[in-house]
Amino acid sequence: MMAAGIAAADVTFSGTANFGYNDTDHKTGESVGAAFSDLDLNIGFSQELNNGFTAGASVELDYADANQGNDISASDALVSLTNGESGIYYGDTDHAAENAWTAVGSMDNDSFRDADGEMVTRADMTFGGAKIGISLGDDSNYTVTAASGSTPAVMGNEKDYISLGISGPAGAFSYALAHQNANTLWLDGDNNTAPSQLATTGVRVSTTLGGATVALGYAKNDNGGSTGIEVSYPMGALTTTASYVQEGATGAENNWDVKFVYAADAVGLTVATDESQDWNVDVSYEMGNGLSLFVGADDGGEDTYAGVSYDLGGGASLLASYANDNNNNDDDDEVGAKDYKEGMTFQLSFAF
């Protein structure tokens, strides 16, 4: 990373570069060997103002694929004006409800909109220990795209997205309240599916009892309500988390999840399962001398992976991995906990 100063302003540059070889087309599962590369440049700007506020801006420039003729794309753009108690943000930032809310277990009816590549305006302030945020998302999607997969809003009948988030401590408890209005913002078929257009309210309270963290939550939209309880308890190197959610929609199945996380010295182990038997097991082992081993099975055993990485020092690393997406449903070509590419991959990475 390097920095330059102009007046009292700070400008920072950082980035990553990856190139390698992969032998599988993740969309079809067929063997198609090809080189790949990507280059990311992150630029940040910061300026302290005379009134105690700080003006900031940041953007990421991406150059993907081993082709000198490709365009450079900009993403994650954000402009902000902040101080210790408040802030205004515009760009790649969470909506207020998303920023305040954490689900209690696997809730069906807490589909607060995920700010995934859209421009968001959010204002935050702190009052009496409570962090209060309100955000706006502008609906300007009038065309059907492969990403949305849905009928867009009719011009003149669209409804912008507004959300509210409040969180903070109250004695031995922590609380969160989140709400979003009914809206017609675009759908992406990923986190923002049809329920993200419904008016939704969520309330969550958590505390610590006998070393265990206990959370209770309720979320409701037009489809019904979700009432959840979650308990997380650490015992030395092992942390156990269990949750249960009662779903109020007609015909909906109640959800439960259990996860065990073990981390001690060079060994890491995560085991999780739920009511649908969608289990996963992920193992990591630091072998020493910069070598690390990762092995796992996710999506009920449909996804399996193994990889070895070697730390070359100075931000450089070498990776050899193999991943199998048995049902070929990882459209983003990210398999398992380490997000490996499907098939055999050899990759050299640098961080600057």
Side-chain angles (χ1 to χ4, degrees), residues 116-131:
D116 186 9
E118 64 192 79
M119 301 300 285
V120 176
T121 303
R122 192 184 82 239
D124 294 337
M125 65 172 293
T126 302
F127 181 78
K131 181 178 179 181

Side-chain angles (χ1 to χ4, degrees), residues 97-145:
E98 177 190 8
N99 197 42
W101 179 251
T102 301
V104 180
S106 297
M107 292 177 152
D108 290 348
N109 300 302
D110 68 337
S111 298
F112 294 105
R113 184 165 183 83
D114 180 24
D116 186 9
E118 64 192 79
M119 301 300 285
V120 176
T121 303
R122 192 184 82 239
D124 294 337
M125 65 172 293
T126 302
F127 181 78
K131 181 178 179 181
I132 304 170
I134 187 169
S135 67
L136 172 68
D138 183 29
D139 187 341
S140 57
N141 178 43
Y142 302 119
T143 60
V144 174
T145 65

Side-chain angles (χ1 to χ4, degrees), residues 13-336:
F13 299 86
S14 64
T16 61
N18 305 294
F19 73 91
Y21 175 85
N22 176 264
D23 70 353
T24 302
D25 183 340
H26 73 277
K27 294 181 179 179
T28 64
E30 297 179 356
S31 296
V32 181
F36 65 89
S37 68
D38 63 80
L39 174 67
D40 298 333
L41 173 62
N42 299 283
I43 308 174
F45 309 88
S46 179
Q47 172 70 64
E48 292 187 5
L49 307 181
N50 294 333
N51 53 12
F53 281 81
T54 299
S58 60
V59 67
E60 179 177 317
L61 304 179
D62 304 307
Y63 181 84
D65 298 326
N67 185 336
Q68 295 291 352
N70 283 354
D71 294 331
I72 295 176
S73 62
S75 63
D76 301 336
L78 177 64
V79 179
S80 63
L81 181 64
T82 61
N83 65 13
E85 301 295 330
S86 60
I88 299 174
Y89 306 85
Y90 176 71
D92 182 36
T93 189
D94 291 342
H95 287 290
E98 177 190 8
N99 197 42
W101 179 251
T102 301
V104 180
S106 297
M107 292 177 152
D108 290 348
N109 300 302
D110 68 337
S111 298
F112 294 105
R113 184 165 183 83
D114 180 24
D116 186 9
E118 64 192 79
M119 301 300 285
V120 176
T121 303
R122 192 184 82 239
D124 294 337
M125 65 172 293
T126 302
F127 181 78
K131 181 178 179 181
I132 304 170
I134 187 169
S135 67
L136 172 68
D138 183 29
D139 187 341
S140 57
N141 178 43
Y142 302 119
T143 60
V144 174
T145 65
S148 69
S150 62
T151 303
V154 177
M155 190 176 297
N157 294 327
E158 73 276 10
K159 183 177 290 186
D160 292 341
Y161 177 86
I162 301 173
S163 77
L164 172 70
I166 303 174
S167 61
F173 295 87
S174 296
Y175 64 87
L177 170 66
H179 178 76
Q180 71 178 26
N181 68 325
N183 63 88
T184 56
L185 254 65
W186 53 271
L187 306 177
D188 60 17
D190 188 10
N191 293 325
N192 295 318
T193 54
S196 71
Q197 294 182 332
L198 301 177
T200 304
T201 300
V203 180
R204 171 192 168 99
V205 178
S206 63
T207 190
T208 301
L209 297 172
T213 300
V214 181
L216 299 172
Y218 177 75
K220 184 180 185 302
N221 60 22
D222 291 345
N223 293 331
S226 300
T227 304
I229 181 171
E230 182 177 86
V231 179
S232 181
Y233 185 67
M235 296 175 289
L238 177 67
T239 299
T240 302
T241 303
S243 65
Y244 181 81
V245 180
Q246 182 175 345
E247 300 295 350
T250 302
E253 182 179 6
N254 296 333
N255 301 319
W256 60 264
D257 297 89
V258 178
K259 181 195 296 188
F260 303 94
V261 178
Y262 178 84
D265 299 324
V267 178
L269 172 66
T270 299
V271 180
T273 188
D274 62 17
E275 80 290 337
S276 65
Q277 299 181 356
D278 184 14
W279 56 267
N280 65 276
V281 178
D282 301 291
V283 181
S284 64
Y285 178 63
E286 302 291 338
M287 296 183 287
N289 298 317
L291 282 170
S292 300
L293 171 68
F294 305 95
V295 180
D298 292 354
D299 293 342
E302 294 293 333
D303 295 351
T304 54
Y305 70 89
V308 177
S309 67
Y310 179 56
D311 186 352
L312 299 172
S317 62
L318 181 65
L319 169 70
S321 67
Y322 178 79
N324 178 43
D325 176 16
N326 192 48
N327 52 11
N328 201 41
N329 66 347
D330 289 308
D331 294 335
D332 51 7
D333 201 14
E334 296 176 347
V335 179

